[in-house]
Amino acid sequence: MLMRNVRGFSLIELMISISLGLLVVAGATGLIVNINSSNASTVESARLTQELRATLQVIADDLRRARRMNDPFAAIGQGALAAAQTPAVTYYGPYDAISSPSAGCILYTYQGEEANTANIDTTGTGSRTVSNDRAIYLATNAGVGSVVLASSVSAARTGGNAPPAATVTCATAGTTLSSNQIDITFLTFAPVAPSTTVGQGTIAITLRGRLRNRAGENLAVTRSVTQIVNIRSPKAGS
């Protein structure tokens, strides 16, 4: 026997059900999109931080070698010995030079020594051996920043008490240390107390940058990392 009083959903009920279902689906879709977006931002941030830290570590490792000497024991006290002479002379070893002449640049040398007697140029005729002069600086090309390491082996210097001139500058062509997927926007080398200049050996390096996509456009994620470096070799005569 057929049940004539059984009926289905009315059109209004069906429309209400579909509307509610669409609202639930839209909410779930929005949640998934937000989660994916958050995950993508987290991955981008982690990737950027990793790239910046890797670049910063390369900078720090090379800078720690500044003022490294071929014969450090022979240089002990030579600065004080030079000052005690009459008339006093200035003791310059190529490895002494560490300076930050402008924001985003540091100049330094290593593997240098004085070739004359007692490592002191007292007569103005001594011949200084070559040194490895270096510069690390922030360079910008077509609006994109990168960290560059420039290096040059100096010619032998002869005589005089003038400090040896560096053979690299903050614009010398060199090797790019940072990834081409990163736009470096900021680089500084600042002395850390009790140091008052970078030449005194305790330096805070701050590096800031952002990711670039394949089209070369900058993404919104920006991160900054800082590391303190202690120069292992003291200033000659100190």
Side-chain angles (χ1 to χ4, degrees):
M1 182 176 179
L2 296 176
M3 300 293 293
R4 296 183 179 276
N5 60 346
V6 176
R7 66 185 182 86
F9 293 104
S10 67
L11 180 59
I12 295 176
E13 291 173 332
L14 182 60
M15 292 179 65
I16 293 174
S17 299
I18 292 175
S19 298
L20 292 175
L22 289 175
L23 289 174
V24 172
V25 171
T29 302
L31 179 61
I32 292 173
V33 169
N34 288 336
I35 291 175
N36 287 339
S37 177
S38 177
N39 287 341
S41 296
T42 300
V43 171
E44 290 174 359
S45 178
R47 175 185 160 205
L48 175 58
T49 301
Q50 182 179 9
E51 292 280 3
L52 290 174
R53 289 194 180 280
T55 301
L56 184 59
Q57 192 61 51
V58 173
I59 297 172
D61 287 345
D62 199 76
L63 191 55
R64 285 192 182 97
R65 300 192 301 163
R67 292 198 293 242
R68 189 177 67 180
M69 309 177 202
N70 290 335
D71 188 359
F73 293 104
I76 293 175
Q78 295 301 319
L81 178 60
Q85 296 186 37
T86 304
V89 297
T90 304
Y91 173 56
Y92 290 108
Y95 41 78
D96 276 356
I98 300 178
S99 64
S100 182
S102 62
C105 177
I106 192 166
L107 304 176
Y108 58 100
T109 59
Y110 68 91
Q111 286 186 325
E113 65 176 352
E114 297 283 3
N116 51 287
T117 304
N119 287 350
I120 301 175
D121 185 0
T122 58
T123 64
T125 60
S127 176
R128 297 182 172 93
T129 59
V130 300
S131 65
N132 193 315
D133 301 328
R134 297 206 166 196
I136 294 178
Y137 61 91
L138 172 61
T140 303
N141 183 21
V144 178
S146 61
V147 178
V148 175
L149 168 64
S151 178
S152 175
V153 177
S154 70
R157 305 178 177 96
T158 303
N161 288 322
T167 57
V168 293
T169 69
C170 299
T172 303
T175 302
T176 301
L177 300 180
S178 54
S179 167
N180 60 7
Q181 300 178 23
I182 305 296
D183 175 22
I184 303 298
T185 60
F186 183 80
L187 173 64
T188 60
F189 302 90
V192 178
S195 296
T196 57
T197 66
V198 294
Q200 291 176 331
T202 304
I203 306 168
I205 310 170
T206 300
L207 188 65
R208 186 182 306 144
R210 54 193 175 189
L211 287 173
R212 302 175 58 227
N213 66 14
R214 294 181 180 179
E217 297 176 353
N218 295 318
L219 299 180
V221 178
T222 299
R223 289 292 179 269
S224 179
V225 292
T226 299
Q227 182 171 339
I228 295 177
V229 173
N230 291 303
I231 305 300
R232 294 180 179 134
S233 298
K235 184 175 176 63
S238 61

